[in-house]
Amino acid sequence: MAASPLRSPAAAGVAIAVVAAATVGGALVFEHGFGYVPCMLCLWERWPYYLGAPLALLAGLLALRGHAASKLLFVALALLFLGGAVLGAYHAGVEWGFWPGPTSCAGANAAPTSAGGLLAQMKTTRIVPCDRAAWRFLGLSLAGYNALIALGLAAVAALATRRLGRGAPHHRAGSASQRS
């Protein structure tokens, strides 16, 4: 029987890595497969997943080997994905008009780089504002789903940290396997 990500820190690391890779993979499919051009905040929201997937695999491997550094990595993962959740919630709030987004998200960074290429650049530049959700499902935009997924990953990493803090059963000093 496979270990639940909530019971085994090693399984938590693998689960976090798989979900992180699938999440950013889904964003890339929306972008390259369906033509949804990401805004600046969308691109920033991907960074916790790019960093978190390999870190989670490493944390899981170290936890499997009983290495103390795994706890530190799970703490870092929890903070990384918590930051991602906050960024996703901020972006969703910008889309709903609860607060203004950064000025660079309104297309200010799409200014032409030279007078000679102005017309060509105007034809190819697609300004994607951060305050408009390109896609919604059940009332949530991709930024909203990102906030929920990142929050869930932060929770799994925090639970793995807590589990390591108490000592996973197969790593406790004085366990039956170590006494024999």
Side-chain angles (χ1 to χ4, degrees):
M1 183 172 175
S4 164
L6 300 179
R7 291 191 39 89
S8 164
V14 172
I16 291 168
V18 168
V19 172
T23 302
V24 80
L28 292 169
V29 167
F30 267 87
E31 179 181 354
H32 299 290
F34 299 116
Y36 288 94
V37 178
C39 71
M40 180 189 72
L41 284 176
C42 293
L43 294 173
W44 287 357
E45 287 172 63
R46 294 178 186 180
W47 279 102
Y49 299 96
Y50 291 141
L51 297 171
L55 282 179
L57 282 177
L58 180 60
L61 178 64
L62 291 175
L64 188 62
R65 296 181 178 263
H67 199 286
S70 63
K71 185 173 182 179
L72 181 63
L73 285 175
F74 278 115
V75 168
L77 285 165
L79 293 173
L80 178 69
F81 284 114
L82 186 59
V86 168
L87 184 58
Y90 168 74
H91 187 186
V94 169
E95 291 172 342
W96 284 105
F98 295 153
W99 42 76
T103 56
S104 60
C105 245
N109 58 346
T113 54
S114 70
L118 175 62
L119 187 55
Q121 190 171 353
M122 285 175 61
K123 289 179 183 178
T124 60
T125 299
R126 183 171 172 195
I127 298 171
V128 180
C130 294
D131 61 354
R132 289 194 207 126
W135 181 87
R136 288 190 192 273
F137 180 69
L138 300 176
L140 286 180
S141 66
L142 291 174
Y145 283 107
N146 170 59
L148 293 175
I149 293 166
L151 188 60
L153 293 176
V156 171
L159 287 171
T161 302
R162 185 171 179 228
R163 182 85 172 149
L164 286 167
R166 288 187 295 169
H170 59 283
H171 295 300
R172 274 193 198 145
S175 70
S177 64
Q178 290 177 344
R179 278 183 259 170
S180 50

